[in-house]
Amino acid sequence: FFCLRREPVHRKIAAAIASSTGAFFPNPKPLSYDCHCICIFNAKMVRTSLSPWHRIIVMATVFLMVSMVTAVCAFSSSNHKSKGHNRPRKETRIATASIENDIGGKSLGLVSMVDTSDGRSGESWANHMTANIESRRKFVASMASIGLASTALMPSKVVAEDAIPAALPEVQAAATGDAKKLFNEGKALEAQGNILAAQRLYLKVTKIAPRFIYGWSNLGNTLVAQGQLGEADESYSKAIYLCEENLKQTEGSFGSKRCDDLYVILLNRGSVRLNNDMPKEALSDLQKSNTIRARPDAVILQNLARAQELNSFFTQSDTSYTTAISMTANEVNPFWLRSSLVKYQLGDLKGAMDLLKRVENRFPEAPEVRAAYAVLLWGKGDEDAARKKFLEIPDRQRGKYAEEGFLKKVVAWPPKAITTIGELAKAVGDIS
């Protein structure tokens, strides 16, 4: 008889060898194999028509053929468990092929998504069977087709395009094309003082060339000019990141445009953070800037000294201020007042007074200069001169020096100077 079962092939062969009757499928129970095993065996013919030796030859031939099919089926179902283990099984299998089965001339399409949670295939192959003898003769060919289809059930691994990160474009240290044209126009407008127009152009540059370093740094400059310190910090941070990436990419290479201005961008961000209540972050940026610069720079040093002062590193601050002053000795600068108060904090009253006298000669009517000079006079013991100098400040402006918040947050004087100005304000009646 002709049969199409999902029985393990080795059970069929064992039953056929053990019995001389044709009923070698007493209790057919489909197991969880993924491919159907086809066998053809005429037990009656074997029992009555052939000699014992011929029976052995026929049975051996059938055994070999079925063994080949078993091997193919076992290969495709090697990852599955037998129903004999009594364990639930669920999987989803993707198939992408279809075969033309010679049995009955029907096409057996392989479903794209097959859920085999119940251990059975979605459709019984027996529905595609015919009993004509011609299909039996083509049995071997159909078995070969089924075997090939079984091996095609494992799809190749597909990786979604979104799962592969796209390579970022190279960092640009020099603009090109439209970005270069807009960038140059922005610089011209910035030099003319047209900050808003320059900012608009720099914004366009960052959109056209988001990996261009100086588009972000120049945008930061225009934001600082408008007092937008938080946004400026973000722009400088992007420029610093790109500049550092560029230095890594061009390390050891020749002919590539390098970002040679990292210390300048760090200086700018550090200065912004000094004025945006971020003294620790400012100190870190300015220390890096000073290290990269690798030689004394007056602008870096005076900002570094201020950051050191705000972080209470007064000795280091005094050293940085002194070096910066020595490089600008021919021109008195406002930061000399800061250096004078740091010296007063460290107990160097004479050095503080020498510096502040030069500052007073240069800026005699500045309220902060008068207040600082009054503090040094009070510290020196000349209280009458201190009161007189302090009272030279207009009442409204002088009243601010009686406010602790103004002294600590706005002018941010060292602790000793704040204590002294408090005593002086009380002496003149500004504090009851």
Side-chain angles (χ1 to χ4, degrees), residues 374 378 382-392 424 427-428:
W378 186 272
D382 194 347
E383 296 182 1
D384 292 337
R387 289 191 188 95
K388 182 179 179 180
K389 177 60 68 175
F390 190 56
L391 290 173
E392 290 178 1
L424 185 55
V428 298

Side-chain angles (χ1 to χ4, degrees), residues 243-260:
C243 188
E244 290 174 340
E245 285 295 306
N246 170 263
L247 293 175
K248 291 177 183 177
Q249 292 174 1
T250 59
E251 185 177 4
S253 63
F254 297 96
S256 300
K257 177 66 175 177
R258 289 172 55 85
C259 175
D260 296 323

Side-chain angles (χ1 to χ4, degrees), residues 1 40 50-51 60 62 92 98 104 115 166 185 205 272 294 309 316 352 370 373 381 387 395 398 406 411 427:
F1 60 87
I40 180 169
L50 300 178
S51 66
V62 173
T92 300
S98 64
D115 191 353
E185 290 177 3
V205 171
V272 166
E309 176 191 344
Q316 298 176 19
R370 287 175 172 174
Y373 199 82
R387 289 191 188 95
D395 293 345
R398 190 178 70 245
F406 176 79
V411 294

